[in-house]
Amino acid sequence: MSEVDRQIERSAELLNRTARARQAPVLRERQAETGRRMQRALLLDAVILIAATIATMAGLLGVGGWVLTFIVMLVATMVMLAIPTRPAPRAEQLARVPLKALPAQTGRWLETQRPALPAPAVQLIDTISTRLDTLALQLDRLPEEAPAATELRKLLGEQLPEFVKGYAQVPPALRRAERNGTTPDAQLVEGLKLIDQEIGEMTEQLAQGDLDSLATHGRFLELKYRGDAA
């Protein structure tokens, strides 16, 4: 097989993985959550509309009342779409989540952290979420007790949440303050880049069935910025 043929084969495999990732648990959970919020908002709007209709039939609501009703419905819809239907897992719970559910649960937790992160970090969170989508597809054939599972659990259930939580503990006024040639914001972005790379490499090793390499991967995330901030 020529190098060109091998490149075409690798590209086809990548496209296949991408298509499958669109239906991965992380994405499905995100879509299901959106559907639940919409359903809840529509139900509340229906209740408000029925109440307004009854009030109109009883002569208690006029044209001005209907204008107010539609404003209330609009506000209620926005609130229902913004509030999660299920509480996201806490960071300390991630270490105890079953391995196959860990990418989805880690993705849900990351979604709750977005408002507190700078824009470059939010972009990396999006990339990591996509990585988690792909990784979730690989875990069906990985036993919970496998050494490779330990490495994955360490990265997704411990190091990643600890890293983001550590940044959140830095006072906002100090996050752009330079010290030792860098800032907490910059260190957060660099750390998330490393995590993104680690997840990508682990996913690749799982796809290749190279569990021995994954089990000994073991790079330790250096959360240096936390010591600097302290």
Side-chain angles (χ1 to χ4, degrees):
M1 181 182 293
S2 68
E3 180 61 30
V4 173
D5 291 334
R6 282 194 290 270
Q7 183 63 41
I8 293 174
E9 185 177 321
R10 285 195 293 268
S11 299
E13 182 181 356
L14 178 60
L15 288 173
N16 185 48
R17 286 184 199 166
T18 303
R20 292 169 59 199
R22 291 173 182 167
Q23 298 302 321
V26 177
L27 181 57
R28 288 202 303 269
E29 172 59 29
R30 195 176 304 143
Q31 293 171 339
E33 172 65 14
T34 300
R36 288 191 294 267
R37 295 188 192 189
M38 286 291 298
Q39 186 177 31
R40 183 180 59 183
L42 290 173
L43 180 60
L44 180 57
D45 285 344
V47 171
I48 295 173
L49 192 59
I50 291 171
T53 301
I54 294 173
T56 300
M57 294 173 63
L60 302 176
L61 196 66
V63 175
W66 273 100
V67 172
L68 180 60
T69 296
F70 285 118
I71 293 175
V72 171
M73 289 175 62
L74 177 61
V75 173
T77 300
M78 294 174 63
V79 171
M80 290 297 100
L81 292 178
I83 299 176
T85 59
R86 299 177 181 177
R90 297 192 303 273
E92 56 271 19
Q93 294 175 321
L94 293 176
R96 301 188 297 273
V97 171
L99 183 65
K100 291 179 177 60
L102 187 56
Q105 293 299 306
T106 301
R108 287 186 63 205
W109 181 81
L110 282 174
E111 285 294 316
T112 67
Q113 306 304 304
R114 294 167 63 99
L117 303 181
V122 170
Q123 293 175 0
L124 283 166
I125 292 296
D126 290 338
T127 303
I128 290 173
S129 294
T130 302
R131 297 269 196 199
L132 293 174
D133 285 340
T134 306
L135 177 63
L137 297 171
Q138 311 291 342
L139 297 184
D140 287 340
R141 55 181 180 270
L142 183 63
E144 286 269 356
E145 65 277 5
T150 301
E151 291 299 323
L152 283 167
R153 187 175 293 283
K154 183 189 302 181
L155 179 63
L156 300 184
E158 298 176 18
Q159 293 175 339
L160 173 55
E162 286 177 4
F163 185 71
V164 177
K165 280 177 59 182
Y167 170 82
Q169 292 171 359
V170 178
L174 300 179
R175 291 175 183 175
R176 296 184 180 181
E178 184 171 333
R179 183 176 181 183
N180 298 330
T182 187
T183 66
D185 275 3
Q187 289 169 329
L188 173 69
V189 170
E190 289 303 313
L192 289 176
K193 286 180 180 178
L194 175 59
I195 292 171
D196 178 50
Q197 178 184 343
E198 289 289 293
I199 296 174
E201 291 182 5
M202 288 181 168
T203 302
E204 188 74 20
Q205 289 166 346
L206 277 172
Q208 295 172 356
D210 193 0
L211 299 185
D212 290 336
S213 294
L214 179 55
T216 58
H217 207 251
R219 292 184 193 172
F220 181 76
L221 273 176
E222 292 291 341
L223 307 185
K224 177 182 177 183
Y225 85 95
R226 290 197 299 175
D228 292 341

